[in-house]
Amino acid sequence: MSAVGADEPLLVAESVVAGYLPEVNILNGCDLQLADGEIVGVIGPNGAGKSTLLKAVFGLLPVRSGSIRLRGTEISGRRPHELVSLGIGYVPQSRNVFSSLTVEENLQMGIYQRPKLFAARMRAVAELFPLLADRRRQQAGSLSGGERQVVAMGRALMMEPSVLLLDEPSAGLSPMAQDDAFERIRTINEAGVSMVMVEQNARRCLELAHRGYVLDQGRNAHTGTGRALLHDEAVVESYLGTLAKAR
Ligand SMILES: Nc1ncnc2c1ncn2[C@@H]1O[C@H](COP(=O)(O)OP(=O)(O)OP(=O)(O)O)[C@@H](O)[C@H]1O
Ligand SMILES: [Mg+2]
């Protein structure tokens, strides 16, 4: 459908309209771009459509109009397993591990399409996060929230994605575990993975992200570098809150 744009950023979402119920659009023309090597943060109020945007990119709900391209190739309409094999990883907002399976089995699920690569990828992912090797026989359901998040990220990294979509990686974690979660995101990015991170913790998100998007009611409200958004009066006033201002 679209011409292959060699100069186009790694991932481009353009004027995306999507929703769950017939005739009810949740995304009303969203744009997002992710360049190679970037961490892009997406913030905005509850119900703004942040998770919906990630789901639309990952093929979990149909795109009604607009375009989503990976390296210039249209990917809207592709199923999640196809997107995984094209190099997109996704860690959902909640229930992101198989609780009754061990850590190792969870990681196997992440690479079921290429089982022969399991051992090599397990080594690579455990090098980033040693906990995955140390706890490989432990049931994922018996891990702490922070440890489960490591398993969820590890699983998404098994297929060596070029793009990782993270929905609220710090949600429900203690302050110390949140610090670890943000540190992990930096580690993954430094290993060469570009990321779109949706976060409730808007200030921390923008501090880490190279660029950010503020979504409101399914539309882009503000866009800029993380630093510019952190200092944008309108963003601070409406989206970063008084608590964040005091920090
Ligand atoms: N499965 C679904 N069926 C119908 N409506 C849904 C479904 N999932 C989400 N919605 C609606 O879509 C809108 C956007 O939800 P979404 O989960 O994308 O928001 P969000 O920005 O991620 O919010 P939060 O910060 O609370 O996670 C909400 O009004 C929500 O009720
Ligand atoms: Mg959400």
Side-chain angles (χ1 to χ4, degrees), residues 20-21 26 44-53 55 93 168 200:
Y20 302 89
L21 307 173
I26 300 295
N46 293 123
K50 305 181 297 295
S51 296
T52 304
L53 177 60
K55 288 186 218 167
Q93 185 167 346
E168 308 241 3
Q200 257 333 297

Side-chain angles (χ1 to χ4, degrees), residues 58 79-90 109-113 155-156 159-162:
F58 196 61
R79 305 283 303 277
H81 69 270
E82 294 177 82
L83 297 171
V84 167
S85 66
L86 289 173
I88 302 187
Y90 169 63
M109 298 296 281
I111 197 159
Y112 75 93
Q113 300 183 24
R155 191 183 61 226
M159 285 285 279
E160 215 172 352
S162 47

Side-chain angles (χ1 to χ4, degrees), residues 161-180:
S162 47
V163 174
L164 190 57
L165 310 171
L166 297 175
D167 200 348
E168 308 241 3
S170 80
L173 302 183
S174 70
M176 220 150 79
Q178 288 188 10
D179 289 346
D180 293 342

